[in-house]
Amino acid sequence: MNEINKEERMQGLSGQQVSESKAKYGTNELAKKETESLWSMFIGAFDDIWIKVLCAALALKVILAVLGIFVPALSGGNDVVEIISIVIAIALATGFSTLSEYRNTSRSEALQEEYSKTYAKVVRDGKLVNILTSEIVKGDTILIQAGDKVPADGLLFEGKIKVSQAALNGESRDENKAAVTNMDEAESTDYSSQGKVFMGSVVTSGEGYMIATVIGDSSELGKINKALTDTSEEEERKDTSSLKLEGVAAGIGKLGVSAAAIAGILHVVLTLIRADQAITVVSVLLVIAEAVMLMASIVIMAVPEGLPMMNSLVQSMNTESMYKKNILVSHKAAFSDSAYMNVLFSDKTGTITQGNLSLVEFITGNGEIVDSIQSSEFIEAITLNNLAKISSEGKAIGSNNMDRALLSYAIDHGYNDSDNDPEKVEEISGFDSEKKCATVKLKNGLVYWKGATENIIDKVTHYMLPDGEEREFTKADKDKVEEQMHAQAKRTMKLLSVAKISAGKTVLMAVLCLRDNVRTDAVETVQILNDAGIQVVMVTGDAEETAVAIAKEAGILADEKKDVVLTHEEMEKLSDEELKKVLPNLRVVSRAKPLDKKRLVSLSQQIDNVCGMTGDGVNDAPALKQADIGFAMGDGTAVAQEAGDVVILNNSLTSIKDCVLNSRTMAKSVGKFLIFQLTVNISTLLMNIIAPILGWTEPFSIVQILWINLIMDTLAAMAFGGEPILDRYMKDQPAKRTDNILTPYIKSAIGVSAIFITLGSILILENIGGITSWVIPAGCADPELYEKTFMFAFFIYAIIFNSLNTRSEKFNLFEHIGENKNFVLVMGAIFVLQTIIIEIGGKVFNTTLLEPKALLVSMVLAVLIIPVDLIRKAIMSR
């Protein structure tokens, strides 16, 4: 009953059978993540902690404004301006975030759409037709040939093939698959099964016919894909950037509430003390109501409205520039996390190594190592005895990876198809796994042989030198060859011998040394990442010896006494707590299984590491999704790309360095913006606390507040968003996940500058040392307005000069300033506009014309913020 009827199967399904199968089992299409609409992305942007804070501030302000209509004593003069300011801040922040995410999602979908347009050769109604793999149904008969991707899980019932299952299990070796006569293994999930082939595998040699037995989401690849696209999972780990900004929000909230409480209490106490009329219950209630209004305004004032917009703007600008560098950012928050990444778990094949075997060295019959053999006879031996073909692009395709490596070597040394005469070939026999050799017999009786050296070395009578000269093969020669083979095996070389057999003479042409070379850019990247404080751990399915040798060459394994190497078996024996203790020194995991990678990432995250993971196969997808930032390769599987946060479109490992460097620049830009904006916020808070003590009326007019907000938010975001990317950031150690984003350096910068601006304002408004009297011209019509204009000029100029302090942590304030043209343009424009506003702003800005003397003094006082901050930098640097 389970027997396969070959004749029937070779006819394929009829149209009616296809319809019935489709109705019963569906098609081979894999589940797709539900596409998020622009509107849902916009709503999602409100999930940001800062947007929530702004919305709460807006709601509070609207409530107070409405109450002010009914109780005029509760009305704040600048209610409308503050409401408009907050609305603009929310709109800009969510707008930038939404448009950037929509653009990147569209690109990602386009990439997946292009990737999924693959075709399969299916037998329908006795005819071979080319259809989309998504249209395959259960029971279809499919022709699979060398170079094809297996389009569904199924049984091979005709032919013999080799498949690479690297995309599924990470193993680089080819698996032999042979035809079966029954359906017993139709639903087997064993990758080593003799007749079962799996969706996502690649046929490396041979051809055959298969029956699709498990399709779509039920296939092994489909199960993993469905798990990754399922949105009903538990809440994901919060990204580090958001966690740090939430910490800032909590800190500013406490500061704002504290400042509001102090100002409110001072307002009530001082108003009642200074009252020149009898104190009644009504007057006390009105004073308390005024204090509540003041407290609400101060809490709102403490919120840096520009921060979410700045964050969105910087992320958008950087993800756009990343796309130009062949890096597609799928998840901006995770991309930001690469600034804090301190552990990178990297796949080996195709990531650390090139993913292809290369013929790199040769052992001659006298035990010598040579880099090249180019004799015409040797080239003929490795190209005639070879089932790989030259593609239209001039590259080796088909057969197995060893055949492709040999043909590639020949092509690189000038070989083309016309160099050999196929007519002189009598018989060719591909690689036989039992005999462990492949042969080609020529019509003149000569046989070219290739295979495992141990199968021929005892039969060798002569050997050939690179120039073609033949010599007798002695016992001493044999010993030298075996010694060299042992040494080369330790260097991760795969060994293959080529010989010619003729007239009772067996000539060893060479023992070929093949290897999957380490990428040159990988060696450089590992060094850069190590310098950047990022621990690189290579996780591979290869044997321990091979993994260790590759890790040494890539620079991952540097100190064998301290660095830890584990196999899957050793790692499995360790408890989670034991493995956590080993993790800081772990460098290599060999014979790894797919879930080992996820376990490593998960445990590493539990000890507060920020983890990156690179990968290209389906087997990497769970770990890519679990990691704080998943780097998927552009030529990897669609499943890996869906799971990753960043797709490296050009497959260059150095792009990870670009991601880290760009995100570190983003983090620096956000830090600079925090210094810039919080300095202004805290200065304003301090002035509002001091105002009732010193008996000031409101220090700034409504329009002046709007102008200050404009400088702090939109314009400053543009100025600091384009800060240059500096290689020196890769020399810094990454900040810990639990570290406060407000570092001691940032706190000191904010504190010193805020105190300087506040003291400068007090100096002017209190006329300390007669400075204000000195600049007020004789016969001034409105000395109080002149004094406030003078203070307003100092305040804005001090903010502008402080922006120079802020943009560089070094003593050279103009360092790389030419690389951020936006900064020069924006701050220059603010300076010019501020001067114009003071001179001709008049009634609109509630200012009066300042004479050159007063204007110059305000600038001189403001510029003193630079030497004050330089002293702070000198102290902090110690």
Side-chain angles (χ1 to χ4, degrees), residues 678-732:
L678 292 181
T679 295
V680 181
N681 281 28
I682 291 172
S683 301
T684 315
L685 285 180
L686 290 172
M687 288 174 72
N688 273 279
I689 291 171
I690 291 164
I693 298 171
L694 299 179
W696 298 345
T697 53
E698 288 188 343
F700 303 107
S701 71
I702 297 169
V703 180
Q704 284 173 359
I705 288 171
L706 188 60
W707 172 235
I708 292 168
N709 278 342
L710 181 66
I711 294 170
M712 285 196 307
D713 300 345
T714 316
L715 297 177
M718 289 168 61
F720 289 106
E723 279 295 278
I725 295 165
L726 304 178
D727 287 334
R728 70 163 183 253
Y729 297 153
M730 291 303 285
K731 299 291 183 185
D732 296 343

Side-chain angles (χ1 to χ4, degrees), residues 170 245 402 464 650 862:
L245 289 175
M402 281 195 175
M464 190 179 84
N650 61 356

Side-chain angles (χ1 to χ4, degrees), residues 243-473:
L243 200 67
K244 288 181 180 292
L245 289 175
E246 282 182 16
V248 177
I252 289 172
K254 289 175 186 174
L255 179 70
V257 170
S258 302
I262 293 167
I265 292 166
L266 284 172
H267 178 79
V268 172
V269 172
L270 293 174
T271 304
L272 294 176
I273 289 171
R274 291 168 181 165
D276 52 4
Q277 292 178 348
I279 297 170
T280 63
V281 174
V282 176
S283 65
V284 170
L285 288 174
L286 278 173
V287 170
I288 291 171
E290 285 172 5
V292 169
M293 286 289 294
L294 176 64
M295 288 165 70
S297 294
I298 287 173
V299 169
I300 292 166
M301 201 179 293
V303 177
E305 299 107 297
L307 184 57
M309 189 196 68
M310 162 66 183
N311 206 25
S312 295
L313 180 65
V314 171
Q315 283 183 341
S316 301
M317 289 170 70
N318 274 272
T319 52
E320 196 64 32
S321 67
M322 286 282 90
Y323 187 67
K324 292 172 185 174
K325 293 179 182 177
N326 293 303
I327 298 166
L328 175 60
V329 179
S330 306
H331 304 111
K332 289 187 300 176
F335 171 71
S336 301
D337 271 12
S338 51
Y340 309 104
M341 182 175 74
N342 62 338
V343 180
L344 176 65
F345 294 101
S346 178
D347 196 24
K348 177 188 76 72
T349 306
T351 308
I352 301 293
T353 63
Q354 293 170 353
N356 295 306
L357 281 177
S358 300
L359 180 50
V360 289
E361 287 176 353
F362 306 83
I363 305 171
T364 58
N366 58 359
E368 297 292 323
I369 302 286
V370 295
D371 294 332
S372 171
I373 299 178
Q374 297 182 41
S375 71
S376 58
E377 194 174 15
F378 174 75
I379 296 295
E380 182 180 78
I382 64 172
T383 51
L384 279 181
N385 189 11
N386 198 317
L387 296 178
K389 306 294 180 189
I390 299 178
S391 71
S392 56
E393 290 86 23
K395 293 181 179 179
I397 58 168
S399 191
N400 56 47
N401 53 9
M402 281 195 175
D403 271 1
R404 291 193 296 275
L406 268 57
L407 184 56
S408 295
Y409 174 85
I411 292 167
D412 290 342
H413 290 85
Y415 170 81
N416 60 62
D417 277 336
S418 60
D419 290 351
N420 282 339
D421 179 11
E423 290 298 318
K424 61 183 180 182
V425 176
E426 182 179 306
E427 184 185 359
I428 186 164
S429 174
F431 188 80
D432 188 308
S433 57
E434 289 181 17
K435 294 179 181 177
K436 292 190 176 178
C437 70
T439 57
V440 62
K441 185 177 181 182
L442 307 188
K443 288 177 180 175
N444 63 7
L446 177 69
V447 173
Y448 286 125
W449 182 100
K450 72 177 177 196
T453 312
E454 61 268 23
N455 286 0
I456 202 169
I457 198 161
D458 290 331
K459 300 172 188 174
V460 173
T461 58
H462 296 75
Y463 68 88
M464 190 179 84
L465 291 173
D467 60 3
E469 180 190 345
E470 291 182 12
R471 292 183 183 175
E472 192 174 337
F473 189 64

Side-chain angles (χ1 to χ4, degrees), residues 189-206:
T189 58
D190 183 4
Y191 291 146
S192 61
S193 166
Q194 183 193 356
K196 184 76 184 278
V197 288
F198 297 89
M199 183 193 291
S201 304
V202 177
V203 181
T204 55
S205 67

